[in-house]
Amino acid sequence: MEPPALLPLTRVLVPTDLSPRAEAAVDFAVRLAAPDGAEVVLLHVFAFPYDWYHWPSETLTGLRKHVEREAEGRLAALAQRKTTPAVRVRPHLVVRTDVASAVHATADDVGADLVVMGTRGWAGERPALGGVTAQVVRRARRPVLAVPRAAAVPEGPPPGAPPGDGPPGGRVVVPVDGSEAAAEALRVGHALATSRGVPLLVFHVAGEEALGGETWGGEAVEAADAPLLGAYERRVRRFAEGALRGDADGDADGGADVRLTFAGGTAAGILDVADAADLLVLAPHRTGHVTEDVLARAPCPVLVLPARRGGAPEPHGRRHASPPAAGRHPDLAPAF
């Protein structure tokens, strides 16, 4: 099994609109980069109106240069203020009309392992998930970490303490749906939980209609059918064990808490479990509205992994490659 490409971090890109509400993403990125001594590149995109560069006016030219110098000074001051003994924060100003395209181009230019963005910011956008963040996630070629304004990075265990002694309630959570993409997300989540010293929770969301007489594997399921629900939950555990088998810790499931949960909607189920999380890890999304709903409403940072290069994401509805168990064991239904 290949180790997650995300770790160790070497360079983290943080786009910012220089507003106070965008600083949560900068703080999160700095503290996330600290254990690996990674560099943080602080990006500000000066998104100019077309006329500012293509209208022959001395007044507009002077205004453009003034605004650029002001933005450059504010960005440099922010980078200096956020730099720590463990992490260098480097300012990077780009002049471009399309902010999302500038983020992707800069990430390629600087060789970023990760893009960290706020779920709010970039004034004037719709009040749900920030429009620029949504565009970057949809077109991502590398992992994107969306950080809500109030997010805080877990400090991890004290020096010498074993992994798992992180802050009370703090954990990395990974929803799985039985796909290869979910298995990759689980491996990334496990690596992050281990390196940051917090517990790992793996879960699968099943719709509440499953308790109302719907069918799994061709058989009706009632609320009192505990054996079948137990078999379903064991299937989630077997998926986690298969995804994590061969990890360096020698534990088949990495010591993860594995469970089945129910919700009226996939996003609602994910958000309910994520309520006590430090970090939520999502596989490449198949249905954008679920991913964007989670990103917009999550109380914790959300890491969205990109689709693998050289191949399209698995089609919605594809099952994990492992064969179904005999008897009444239902297969994992895709959750997102």
Side-chain angles (χ1 to χ4, degrees):
M1 179 183 64
E2 298 181 0
L6 181 63
L7 296 174
L9 293 171
T10 57
R11 188 164 292 108
V12 179
L13 179 68
V14 188
T16 177
D17 63 357
L18 299 175
S19 67
R21 59 185 174 181
E23 288 199 24
V26 181
D27 293 335
F28 196 99
V30 169
R31 295 180 63 186
L32 190 66
D36 299 323
E39 179 186 53
V40 172
V41 178
L42 197 58
L43 169 68
H44 179 68
V45 182
F46 180 65
F48 58 87
Y50 181 86
D51 288 349
W52 283 28
Y53 280 79
H54 299 277
W55 192 262
S57 167
E58 291 185 6
T59 301
L60 283 179
T61 300
L63 178 60
R64 170 180 59 81
K65 291 182 178 179
H66 170 74
V67 174
E68 280 188 34
R69 284 195 298 268
E70 182 182 18
E72 190 172 17
R74 291 176 60 193
L75 185 65
L78 179 61
Q80 184 176 19
R81 180 158 52 89
K82 298 299 181 180
T83 294
T84 71
V87 178
R88 177 196 175 200
V89 181
R90 173 164 61 93
H92 188 81
L93 180 68
V94 172
V95 178
R96 195 156 177 170
T97 54
D98 183 1
V99 177
S101 294
V103 171
H104 288 303
T106 304
D108 290 339
D109 291 343
V110 303
D113 306 300
L114 174 69
V115 176
V116 179
M117 301 185 70
T119 55
R120 299 292 187 276
W122 309 97
E125 293 172 0
R126 59 193 178 92
L129 177 65
V132 172
T133 301
Q135 292 176 46
V136 171
V137 169
R138 291 189 203 112
R139 296 151 53 186
R141 297 187 291 270
R142 53 184 38 79
V144 177
L145 182 62
V147 182
R149 183 175 181 179
V153 179
E155 293 287 356
D165 289 349
R171 57 189 176 180
V172 174
V173 297
V174 185
V176 298
D177 62 1
S179 66
E180 291 295 345
E184 183 176 358
L186 180 52
R187 289 189 284 269
V188 171
H190 177 252
L192 288 167
T194 301
S195 66
R196 269 58 185 177
V198 294
L200 172 67
L201 168 64
V202 185
F203 68 99
H204 174 71
V205 179
E208 289 178 342
E209 66 276 5
L211 296 178
E214 295 292 331
T215 62
W216 283 342
E219 297 187 41
V221 178
E222 303 295 340
D225 197 351
L228 184 54
L229 298 183
Y232 197 88
E233 188 161 2
R234 286 192 296 274
R235 187 143 185 94
V236 180
R237 178 170 293 281
R238 281 196 297 274
F239 173 79
E241 290 174 349
L244 297 177
R245 188 172 290 117
D247 276 10
D249 58 16
D251 192 353
D253 63 2
D257 178 14
V258 182
R259 69 181 65 166
L260 175 68
T261 187
F262 297 91
T266 302
I270 293 173
L271 289 166
D272 183 60
V273 177
D275 193 48
D278 287 322
L279 179 66
L280 176 66
V281 182
L282 297 181
H285 59 282
R286 298 167 180 76
T287 52
H289 68 280
V290 173
T291 298
E292 291 186 15
D293 194 15
V294 171
L295 287 172
R297 296 163 52 198
C300 66
V302 181
L303 177 66
V304 183
L305 302 181
R308 284 183 176 273
R309 290 188 178 184
E314 297 173 54
H316 187 64
R318 181 174 177 179
R319 304 290 197 243
H320 186 250
S322 60
R328 303 175 67 201
H329 292 202
D331 201 2
L332 296 183
F336 56 93

